[in-house]
Amino acid sequence: MYLAYDYPLLNVFWTMLWFFLWVLWIILLFRIITDIFRDKDMSGWAKAGWLVLTILLPFLGVLVYVIARGKDMGRREIAQARAQQRDFDAYVREAASGGTRPSSVDELARLSELRSRGDITAEEFDRAKALVLTDDRTAPSPDPRPGRS
């Protein structure tokens, strides 16, 4: 009946603080374990050593890991986020364009037709054909006719 008197407000505060710190500790431990496996520069034995250290001596292992590799841990996470964003942007561009991109054969056929109609010269055809065959698609393809881009 008088349970509130048995557990004062300050004890509730300390319990909540310790619970919050415990949850924070678990999150940090899982982020470190994820980072151990994410690091491509670390050998298998080094990964195993860090993993054993963080599991058998969790407080010391996590503290040493954060001190020794904390800066690189952030860099790896940023690199992974950028790679995911790049992949997502490429997927969106591909989906927005309908997923169809003219093949090299289609482009060569179009160039051949332009040459046969006389719209481009043989030299322009050879230059454009070389671009198609090297699959240089990073730059927008200019109009092969001189003075028209």
Side-chain angles (χ1 to χ4, degrees), residues 2-18:
Y2 297 102
L3 191 59
Y5 295 116
D6 293 338
Y7 205 70
L9 186 60
L10 188 58
N11 285 353
V12 172
F13 170 75
W14 282 113
T15 302
M16 289 175 58
L17 179 68
W18 281 112

Coordinates of all heavy atoms in Angstrom, one line a residue, residues 2-18:
Y2 N 2.0 1.2 0.7 CA 2.8 2.4 0.8 C 4.1 2.1 0.0 O 5.2 2.4 0.4 CB 3.2 2.7 2.2 CG 2.0 3.1 3.1 CD1 1.4 2.2 3.9 CD2 1.5 4.4 2.9 CE1 0.4 2.6 4.7 CE2 0.4 4.7 3.7 CZ -0.2 3.8 4.6 OH -1.2 4.2 5.3
L3 N 3.9 1.6 -1.3 CA 5.0 1.2 -2.1 C 5.8 2.5 -2.6 O 7.0 2.4 -2.8 CB 4.4 0.5 -3.3 CG 5.5 -0.2 -4.2 CD1 6.3 -1.2 -3.4 CD2 4.8 -0.9 -5.4
A4 N 5.1 3.6 -2.8 CA 5.8 4.8 -3.3 C 6.9 5.2 -2.3 O 7.9 5.8 -2.6 CB 4.8 5.9 -3.5
Y5 N 6.7 5.0 -1.0 CA 7.6 5.4 0.0 C 8.8 4.5 0.0 O 9.9 4.9 0.5 CB 7.0 5.4 1.4 CG 5.9 6.5 1.5 CD1 4.6 6.2 1.7 CD2 6.2 7.8 1.4 CE1 3.6 7.1 1.8 CE2 5.3 8.8 1.5 CZ 4.0 8.4 1.7 OH 3.0 9.4 1.8
D6 N 8.7 3.3 -0.5 CA 9.8 2.3 -0.5 C 10.7 2.6 -1.7 O 11.9 2.1 -1.6 CB 9.3 0.9 -0.6 CG 8.5 0.5 0.7 OD1 8.7 1.1 1.7 OD2 7.7 -0.4 0.6
Y7 N 10.3 3.3 -2.7 CA 11.1 3.6 -3.8 C 11.1 5.0 -4.2 O 10.2 5.5 -5.0 CB 10.7 2.7 -5.0 CG 11.7 2.4 -6.1 CD1 12.8 1.6 -5.8 CD2 11.7 3.0 -7.3 CE1 13.8 1.3 -6.7 CE2 12.7 2.7 -8.3 CZ 13.7 1.9 -7.9 OH 14.7 1.6 -8.8
P8 N 11.9 5.8 -3.6 CA 11.8 7.3 -3.8 C 12.1 7.7 -5.2 O 12.6 7.0 -6.1 CB 12.9 7.8 -2.9 CG 13.4 6.7 -2.1 CD 13.0 5.5 -2.7
L9 N 11.8 9.0 -5.5 CA 11.9 9.5 -6.9 C 13.3 9.5 -7.4 O 13.6 9.2 -8.5 CB 11.3 10.9 -6.9 CG 11.3 11.6 -8.2 CD1 10.4 10.8 -9.2 CD2 10.8 13.0 -8.1
L10 N 14.3 9.8 -6.5 CA 15.7 9.7 -6.9 C 16.1 8.3 -7.3 O 16.9 8.2 -8.3 CB 16.6 10.2 -5.8 CG 18.0 10.5 -6.1 CD1 18.2 11.5 -7.2 CD2 18.8 10.9 -4.9
N11 N 15.6 7.3 -6.7 CA 15.9 6.0 -7.1 C 15.3 5.7 -8.5 O 15.9 5.0 -9.3 CB 15.4 4.9 -6.1 CG 16.3 4.9 -4.9 OD1 17.4 5.5 -4.9 ND2 15.9 4.2 -3.9
V12 N 14.2 6.2 -8.8 CA 13.6 6.0 -10.1 C 14.4 6.7 -11.2 O 14.7 6.1 -12.2 CB 12.1 6.6 -10.1 CG1 11.6 6.6 -11.6 CG2 11.2 5.8 -9.2
F13 N 14.9 7.9 -10.9 CA 15.8 8.6 -11.8 C 17.1 7.8 -12.0 O 17.5 7.6 -13.2 CB 16.2 10.0 -11.2 CG 17.3 10.7 -11.9 CD1 17.0 11.3 -13.2 CD2 18.6 10.7 -11.4 CE1 18.0 11.9 -13.9 CE2 19.6 11.3 -12.1 CZ 19.3 11.9 -13.3
W14 N 17.7 7.3 -11.0 CA 18.9 6.5 -11.2 C 18.7 5.2 -11.9 O 19.5 4.8 -12.8 CB 19.6 6.1 -9.8 CG 20.3 7.3 -9.2 CD1 20.0 8.0 -8.1 CD2 21.5 7.9 -9.8 NE1 20.9 9.0 -7.9 CE2 21.9 9.0 -9.0 CE3 22.3 7.7 -10.9 CZ2 22.9 9.8 -9.2 CZ3 23.4 8.5 -11.1 CH2 23.7 9.5 -10.3
T15 N 17.5 4.6 -11.7 CA 17.2 3.3 -12.5 C 17.0 3.7 -13.9 O 17.5 2.9 -14.8 CB 15.9 2.7 -11.9 OG1 16.1 2.5 -10.5 CG2 15.5 1.5 -12.6
M16 N 16.4 4.8 -14.2 CA 16.2 5.1 -15.6 C 17.5 5.5 -16.3 O 17.7 5.1 -17.5 CB 15.2 6.3 -15.7 CG 13.8 5.9 -15.4 SD 12.6 7.3 -15.4 CE 12.8 8.0 -17.0
L17 N 18.4 6.2 -15.6 CA 19.7 6.5 -16.1 C 20.5 5.3 -16.4 O 21.1 5.2 -17.5 CB 20.4 7.4 -15.1 CG 21.8 7.8 -15.5 CD1 21.8 8.8 -16.7 CD2 22.6 8.5 -14.4
W18 N 20.5 4.3 -15.5 CA 21.3 3.1 -15.7 C 20.7 2.3 -16.8 O 21.4 1.7 -17.6 CB 21.4 2.2 -14.4 CG 22.4 2.8 -13.5 CD1 22.2 3.3 -12.3 CD2 23.8 2.8 -13.7 NE1 23.4 3.7 -11.7 CE2 24.4 3.4 -12.6 CE3 24.6 2.4 -14.7 CZ2 25.8 3.6 -12.4 CZ3 26.0 2.6 -14.6 CH2 26.5 3.2 -13.5

